[in-house]
Amino acid sequence: MAVRPILRFPDERLHTVARRVEHFDDALRQLVADMADTMYRAPGIGLAATQIDVHLRVIVIDVSETHDRLQVFINPEIIGEDGERRVSEEGCLSVPGIYEEVERPERVRVRAFDEHGKPFTLEASGLLAVCLQHEIDHLNGRVFVQYLSRLKQNRIRTRLLKQVREAA
Ligand code: GNR
Ligand code: NI
């Protein structure tokens, strides 16, 4: 078990574009295990490596109600979008206590590799589709608040900086 600290917005490191994984080795599988521990502990339904300051294209997700269906996506790519655009409320472990509506495609087709280097494709809808897009954004250095107005972003920034000051 290794729970790692999660970066918080506004932190410049959250805007790093992650590199592709090239070696499907034990170090990668250790990273995946640590990310799962960190996500379940938080608790959250997804985590991108970016959030623990590791800038590799690795995502873990578990949208099951029983919290026992871990899904691992290495080098994920959205290869298709479908359906209407849907608004849903999002939160983020890197933006604690903030919940805002974001509009995204309802369904996405994703191609990725598992932690052993085996390729797969998956058609996602509902919460899984939202979460996958949210996590892939993290790998591209994008935090969900960047879809909001400048005014809202600045208010969120101020509120989170104040939380950190008051905790110190
Ligand atoms: O735990 C999380 N919940 C969530 C809810 C709605 C939309 C997206 C998410 S992802 C978030 C965990 C997280 O920050 N992943 O990057
Ligand atoms: Ni997030």
Side-chain angles (χ1 to χ4, degrees), residues 51 91-94 134-135 138 144:
Q51 293 176 277
C92 182
L93 296 171
S94 296
H134 175 114
E135 305 309 345
H138 275 304
F144 85 103

Side-chain angles (χ1 to χ4, degrees), residues 38-135:
T38 305
M39 174 185 73
Y40 286 121
R41 177 66 66 85
I45 60 169
L47 190 77
T50 309
Q51 293 176 277
I52 58 164
D53 203 21
V54 173
H55 302 287
L56 289 171
R57 304 189 79 81
V58 179
I59 290 169
V60 294
I61 292 180
D62 188 341
V63 292
S64 72
E65 281 177 13
T66 43
H67 311 295
D68 60 355
R69 294 260 195 284
L70 184 71
Q71 292 180 282
V72 178
F73 300 85
I74 314 287
N75 299 339
E77 282 183 75
I78 293 180
I79 55 172
E81 295 181 350
D82 206 358
E84 313 263 299
R85 291 175 66 84
R86 279 280 172 84
V87 173
S88 65
E89 187 158 275
E90 296 192 20
C92 182
L93 296 171
S94 296
V95 196
I98 306 290
Y99 300 89
E100 294 283 351
E101 292 192 330
V102 175
E103 190 182 292
R104 301 183 187 272
E106 184 180 2
R107 281 192 294 276
V108 287
R109 188 166 190 82
V110 173
R111 182 169 58 204
F113 297 84
D114 72 11
E115 67 271 43
H116 304 287
K118 188 177 168 211
F120 64 95
T121 64
L122 177 136
E123 179 90 46
S125 62
L127 186 57
L128 179 58
V130 172
C131 193
L132 266 166
Q133 293 176 79
H134 175 114
E135 305 309 345

Side-chain angles (χ1 to χ4, degrees), residues 137-150:
D137 275 351
H138 275 304
L139 300 183
N140 292 329
R142 190 169 180 96
V143 179
F144 85 103
V145 300
Q146 294 177 268
Y147 290 104
L148 308 176
S149 68
R150 267 276 152 212

